[in-house]
Amino acid sequence: MINVEVLNAEQKKAVLDPHRFLRIVAGAGSGKTRVLTMRIAHLVEDLHVPAYKILAITFTNKAANEMKDRLRKLMNHDEQPWISTIHSLCVRILREDITSMGWPRNFTVLDSDDQKSILRAAYKEFGYSTSSIPYASALDYIANCKYADIQPDRAALLANGLRGEEDKAKIYAYYLERQNALYALDFDDLILWTVRMFHRFPQITEKWQKRFCSIHVDEFQDIDKKQYELIRLLTGENNNLYVVGDPDQTIYTWRGADVNIILNFMHDFPQAETIMLNQNYRSTMNILKGANAVIRHNRHRLEKELFTNRISEEKIIHHASLSDQLEAAWVADKILEEHRTGKAYKDMAILYRSNYLSRSLEKGLLDARIPYIIYGGIRFYERQEVKDALCYMRMALSADDLALQRIINKPRRGIGEKTMDKLAAQARKEGRSMYMVMRDEKLFTGKVQRELDHLTAMVEHWRKLVQEKRTSVEDLFTIIMEESGYQKELQDNHEQDRLENLKALIDDMLDFTHNNPESTLEEYLQLVALYGNREEVMSQDYVQLMTVHAAKGLEFDTVFVTDMNEGIFPNERALNDSVKGLEEERRLAYVAFTRARNKLYITEAGGFSFILQRVRTPSRFIEEIDADCIMHDEPPKETRSSPWINDFPAAMDALACTMLHKGDRVRHTKFGEGIIISCKENIATIAFAYPYGVKNIAANHPSLIRIDNQKS
């Protein structure tokens, strides 16, 4: 029996409630993961529901792994429920049934680099540049067309003669053509194709409905309409549906999340029961009162009020500085003060609305010699050497064109663009992959052909090892890295960091095969392609800097929410957007505040903002916090505005006097010492030492300090 006596009354009800449809509205820090896992364990251990009949959908691999770990501790059964991200679920469904759509089961899953590789080829063919059509813009266009089920001919018609839209439509047509040729699906396709297949083939839908009897969805506030459609199709007429989420934490509408889905759940399922989890176990009372006071101003929400038994005299601290530099210095001083009392740096976080806001904060931390990291830097699986190595592994499995294009000249083999263009043209002409053409035909002479033959021989050897199924994933990787010469090139170039990443990749493979002894190379590469969230392993003590969006799901003892100014947080776009945009910003503030366990600092800066092109004013969210739970620490009103406001023209004249000139030596907070090559229209072109090279930086940028006035 599952021990539910450790739960509060509402949590217990959420675990034991027998209703077929349940909506659990779980506030921040209310123990939703605990409730969700105990609900699943209750079904298996107490109600004897077969574990394999239970599906739990999460939105990150980290959340899925956490849920699996908790269930292993709660349950006595060897058999585990089906717990996965929604994209992983779709891959498994499609691997089993995509042949009904005329595609092979071993289709390729495109990651972001693969997508950009296709775009590069399209841009080259049509003569487009990223300056006129950025990759992000093209990918957004493609995703939107797919979401709306708009085919290329229709997209061209809708362009209505507009040059930019016609160009995007041509890119879209090329992209789909390459996808079909490669039998490749991107992340958006995984859900869209599954939904499309379920609608076309009711017998397949029914098969998967019968596969499960109880479906659980975590972070339900973050789902979009297509994801919801998939969930409803899987639920069907007979399955139970249990959803957990918090509408007050819907902060991803820009990614398609629709807060109305969780708000209108009772309309879609009139027989459903709603249970509120309002007791917070994370934050102190004053922090919660502040968060509640802000979110209460939103009209489009479910009424709930978080409470806690964690009583503290510590109030929320609001600090107003005269400038962003002084704001950063104050934050740094407070961090040092906290650290001197014994608090670890890693227990403190600085949150901001947008990435560009980190500049002054980083400078303040550097000046104070405080160690820090930007949370969510380059992800492990997105590092160049890791991508290269995994593409080599893909060659051993499927030898797809995108993998070939990435590794064919790594290490350098003297194979240039003309060779690749000829291979690609011949492959399109014959309707085959580039690798098959390279293997079966002699299109070149001399050194180029010898290199291609050598590469082909190696790939065929690796493919034979895979087919024989006698070589482990990690051993195969070691063989490929040695035989290909990739590892040796890194060693010869003394690329120690990259070599360490390859070692870490081997550790990853070892962990995978240990946990999944019967698994294959295909399954490992599938997992890697879907893995989108890097867990931050802090081996050292750092303050963590991140956007509020990145902080979702995290918590810290002390939190600084910085740059709380109108136009910044809430941002300018939201202020120009009606009520909907402002309410999302307020939900974002709610998420930011509730990351703090014991101390919450809110800071803002005065003075003129060049980005906003106006004087900074305090965020309305500060004013919305109840007076009894916040303490204001600000300069006198008469000096609050700073000289930048009182004498802006004079300030601009002073700034002009400090302009840099050709030949000046400068020091940059990140790039070190450099020399001004040129200075035009307030933009300094500066030569820095290796590895930074030449950079273009605003001549008045606070990160720059002139060392002397000597001319070279």
Side-chain angles (χ1 to χ4, degrees):
M1 292 286 290
I2 300 299
N3 180 19
V4 294
E5 299 308 315
V6 296
L7 306 175
N8 66 42
E10 293 306 307
Q11 289 175 330
K12 188 186 297 185
K13 186 179 179 183
V15 169
L16 302 178
D17 195 293
H19 282 83
R20 186 181 160 201
F21 303 112
L22 274 170
R23 175 179 65 177
I24 312 300
V25 179
S30 62
K32 70 174 181 66
T33 305
R34 187 183 200 189
V35 165
L36 185 53
T37 52
M38 289 192 73
R39 168 77 177 190
I40 295 171
H42 166 67
L43 293 177
V44 176
E45 297 289 326
D46 302 338
L47 303 184
H48 308 297
V49 176
Y52 66 87
K53 298 282 286 184
I54 297 172
L55 170 66
I57 296 172
T58 68
F59 283 82
T60 66
N61 289 288
K62 181 180 178 182
N65 291 331
E66 183 182 351
M67 198 177 296
K68 289 175 183 176
D69 289 341
R70 292 197 184 204
L71 282 169
R72 288 191 190 100
K73 295 173 183 176
L74 283 171
M75 294 167 47
N76 296 317
H77 287 67
D78 292 333
E79 193 172 47
Q80 292 290 308
W82 193 335
I83 299 170
S84 79
T85 65
I86 197 163
H87 291 95
S88 293
L89 170 66
C90 289
V91 168
R92 295 206 37 194
I93 292 171
L94 291 169
R95 292 281 184 213
E96 195 164 318
D97 289 309
I98 200 171
T99 52
S100 65
M101 306 280 280
W103 274 42
R105 288 193 173 96
N106 65 339
F107 63 87
T108 299
V109 179
L110 300 177
D111 61 18
S112 58
D113 276 4
D114 293 332
Q115 289 179 292
K116 288 175 182 176
S117 178
I118 295 175
L119 290 183
R120 277 193 292 271
Y123 283 36
K124 184 177 181 179
E125 180 157 320
F126 300 131
Y128 300 155
S129 70
T130 54
S131 58
S132 58
I133 309 174
Y135 288 156
S137 176
L139 290 172
D140 283 345
Y141 178 90
I142 292 167
N144 291 335
C145 286
K146 287 181 175 182
Y147 194 85
D149 201 20
I150 297 172
Q151 296 303 308
D153 54 347
R154 176 68 174 163
L157 189 65
L158 292 172
N160 199 29
L162 295 172
R163 175 70 183 273
E165 294 301 298
E166 286 184 336
D167 292 345
K168 288 179 184 177
K170 287 172 69 175
I171 294 169
Y172 175 40
Y174 183 99
Y175 185 91
L176 282 190
E177 181 185 325
R178 291 301 296 144
Q179 275 195 282
N180 290 328
L182 294 165
Y183 291 114
L185 299 179
D186 58 34
F187 270 33
D188 293 324
D189 291 324
L190 296 176
I191 294 171
L192 294 173
W193 274 59
T194 306
V195 169
R196 195 177 301 155
M197 183 175 69
F198 279 175
H199 282 304
R200 286 185 189 176
F201 304 99
Q203 68 275 19
I204 295 176
T205 312
E206 187 179 353
K207 181 188 86 172
W208 284 97
Q209 287 172 348
K210 289 180 178 178
R211 187 77 60 92
F212 310 110
C213 67
S214 187
I215 297 170
H216 304 74
V217 186
D218 193 15
E219 303 290 358
F220 192 65
Q221 79 279 345
D222 290 334
I223 70 167
D224 62 32
K225 290 178 181 175
K226 284 294 179 185
Q227 292 166 346
Y228 187 43
E229 187 177 358
L230 174 65
I231 290 164
R232 294 195 69 174
L233 285 167
L234 283 171
T235 303
E237 298 295 325
N238 301 308
N239 290 332
N240 298 335
L241 181 59
Y242 186 96
V243 302
V244 182
D246 182 8
D248 288 337
Q249 297 188 70
T250 305
I251 60 174
Y252 296 113
T253 58
W254 50 276
R255 254 179 7 198
D258 188 345
V259 70
N260 292 304
I261 294 173
I262 189 170
L263 292 177
N264 297 335
F265 188 80
M266 304 300 287
H267 177 268
D268 295 338
F269 300 95
Q271 63 274 54
E273 179 81 2
T274 293
I275 298 172
M276 296 276 188
L277 303 183
N278 287 340
Q279 185 170 354
N280 177 287
Y281 293 91
R282 176 188 301 155
S283 307
T284 63
M285 178 61 77
N286 280 326
I287 293 172
L288 287 187
K289 285 178 69 176
N292 286 334
V294 172
I295 201 65
R296 204 182 295 129
H297 285 76
N298 275 4
R299 297 196 297 268
H300 196 55
R301 64 186 291 263
L302 293 173
E303 287 294 330
K304 69 176 181 11
E305 194 88 357
L306 290 181
F307 71 94
T308 184
N309 293 327
R310 294 193 65 223
I311 308 300
S312 172
E313 297 298 319
E314 195 87 41
K315 291 188 176 185
I316 299 169
I317 303 295
H318 161 229
H319 178 79
S321 297
L322 299 178
S323 68
D324 54 356
Q325 292 91 346
L326 290 173
E327 178 188 24
W330 186 89
V331 169
D333 284 344
K334 282 295 173 185
I335 289 172
L336 288 174
E337 187 181 300
E338 295 278 340
H339 189 61
R340 282 194 290 270
T341 65
K343 189 170 293 179
Y345 285 129
K346 65 182 179 182
D347 291 330
M348 293 180 271
I350 303 174
L351 311 184
Y352 36 77
R353 177 62 180 82
S354 303
N355 277 309
Y356 77 88
L357 296 165
S358 74
R359 178 195 53 82
S360 59
L361 294 164
E362 290 188 65
K363 187 174 184 298
L365 296 174
L366 286 168
D367 289 344
R369 298 184 179 275
I370 296 171
Y372 72 92
I373 62 164
I374 305 291
Y375 181 87
I378 298 175
R379 299 175 178 178
F380 178 79
Y381 294 106
E382 294 175 357
R383 294 171 189 169
Q384 179 182 319
E385 60 278 7
V386 175
K387 296 285 296 180
D388 292 343
L390 291 172
C391 279
Y392 264 112
M393 299 291 278
R394 279 165 54 179
M395 291 299 297
L397 184 68
S398 59
D400 65 89
D401 285 2
L402 295 175
L404 177 66
Q405 288 168 344
R406 185 174 183 100
I407 62 91
I408 195 166
N409 210 35
K410 294 180 180 180
R412 297 187 183 278
R413 299 185 173 94
I415 300 169
E417 288 189 12
K418 289 184 179 179
T419 302
M420 296 301 295
D421 289 346
K422 189 173 180 179
L423 271 175
Q426 189 67 21
R428 284 197 296 271
K429 180 181 176 181
E430 297 180 12
R432 298 200 297 165
S433 72
M434 291 169 64
Y435 175 75
M436 297 301 286
V437 171
M438 185 176 84
R439 186 190 69 177
D440 298 339
E441 300 178 33
K442 305 288 185 182
L443 300 178
F444 309 95
T445 57
K447 183 175 183 297
V448 171
Q449 189 60 55
R450 288 195 300 273
E451 289 290 346
L452 292 177
D453 288 343
H454 180 59
L455 179 58
T456 301
M458 286 191 295
V459 173
E460 289 299 304
H461 172 56
W462 304 333
R463 297 183 77 177
K464 185 180 178 182
L465 293 176
V466 173
Q467 291 164 4
E468 291 174 350
K469 299 181 179 179
R470 289 186 296 184
T471 308
S472 66
V473 174
E474 61 271 21
D475 287 343
L476 177 67
F477 175 79
T478 302
I479 292 168
I480 291 174
M481 289 295 97
E482 289 178 358
E483 291 185 357
S484 67
Y486 189 86
Q487 182 174 303
K488 185 177 184 303
E489 184 175 69
L490 295 183
Q491 289 169 339
D492 291 345
N493 293 333
H494 306 289
E495 299 276 6
Q496 193 58 38
D497 288 344
R498 293 186 172 183
L499 287 167
E500 291 296 330
N501 282 331
L502 293 185
K503 292 176 184 176
L505 191 58
I506 293 177
D507 287 341
D508 186 62
M509 293 173 184
L510 286 167
D511 288 343
F512 174 78
T513 53
H514 176 74
N515 296 325
N516 307 276
E518 302 300 319
S519 56
T520 62
L521 173 62
E522 180 181 2
E523 289 170 330
Y524 174 73
L525 293 176
Q526 175 185 307
L527 176 69
V528 169
L530 292 167
Y531 193 87
N533 294 296
R534 174 173 70 109
E535 290 187 38
E536 298 287 345
V537 180
M538 303 303 302
S539 57
Q540 298 184 50
D541 196 18
Y542 297 101
V543 174
Q544 298 182 65
L545 278 66
M546 67 192 78
T547 65
V548 181
H549 284 101
K552 178 80 161 45
L554 304 177
E555 60 182 76
F556 304 90
D557 189 80
T558 301
V559 170
F560 297 83
V561 184
T562 61
D563 294 280
M564 292 286 290
N565 294 95
E566 288 290 290
I568 298 176
F569 198 175
N571 70 9
E572 197 76 12
R573 211 166 38 251
L575 295 176
N576 296 328
D577 186 20
S578 70
V579 174
K580 183 180 177 183
L582 183 58
E583 292 209 346
E584 173 131 356
E585 290 292 297
R586 196 173 275 114
R587 292 195 294 266
L588 198 59
Y590 176 82
V591 168
F593 295 175
T594 54
R595 299 311 92 195
R597 290 192 289 263
N598 293 315
K599 290 187 178 182
L600 174 62
Y601 296 93
I602 298 171
T603 67
E604 42 108 355
F608 187 86
S609 168
F610 288 94
I611 294 173
L612 298 176
Q613 286 297 299
R614 65 171 185 267
V615 174
R616 298 185 188 92
T617 56
S619 168
R620 68 189 66 194
F621 300 154
I622 298 172
E623 299 169 5
E624 290 173 357
I625 298 173
D626 293 342
D628 63 339
C629 60
I630 188 169
M631 185 173 75
H632 300 280
D633 174 25
E634 57 184 332
K637 296 293 182 185
E638 63 269 18
T639 63
R640 174 72 189 278
S641 59
S642 108
W644 281 101
I645 299 169
N646 297 331
D647 194 10
F648 182 63
M652 289 302 293
D653 291 339
L655 181 62
C657 295
T658 66
M659 291 283 290
L660 299 170
H661 303 281
K662 183 178 179 180
D664 285 347
R665 290 177 63 239
V666 295
R667 182 179 290 108
H668 188 275
T669 53
K670 178 179 179 182
F671 307 133
E673 291 188 12
I675 298 176
I676 306 294
I677 299 173
S678 67
C679 198
K680 298 179 181 178
E681 297 179 347
N682 203 28
I683 299 296
T685 301
I686 309 171
F688 294 101
Y690 177 85
Y692 300 112
V694 178
K695 304 284 184 184
N696 291 320
I697 302 172
N700 59 358
H701 200 281
S703 64
L704 284 178
I705 301 171
R706 184 164 50 191
I707 299 174
D708 61 38
N709 291 319
Q710 295 177 4
K711 303 288 191 292
S712 59

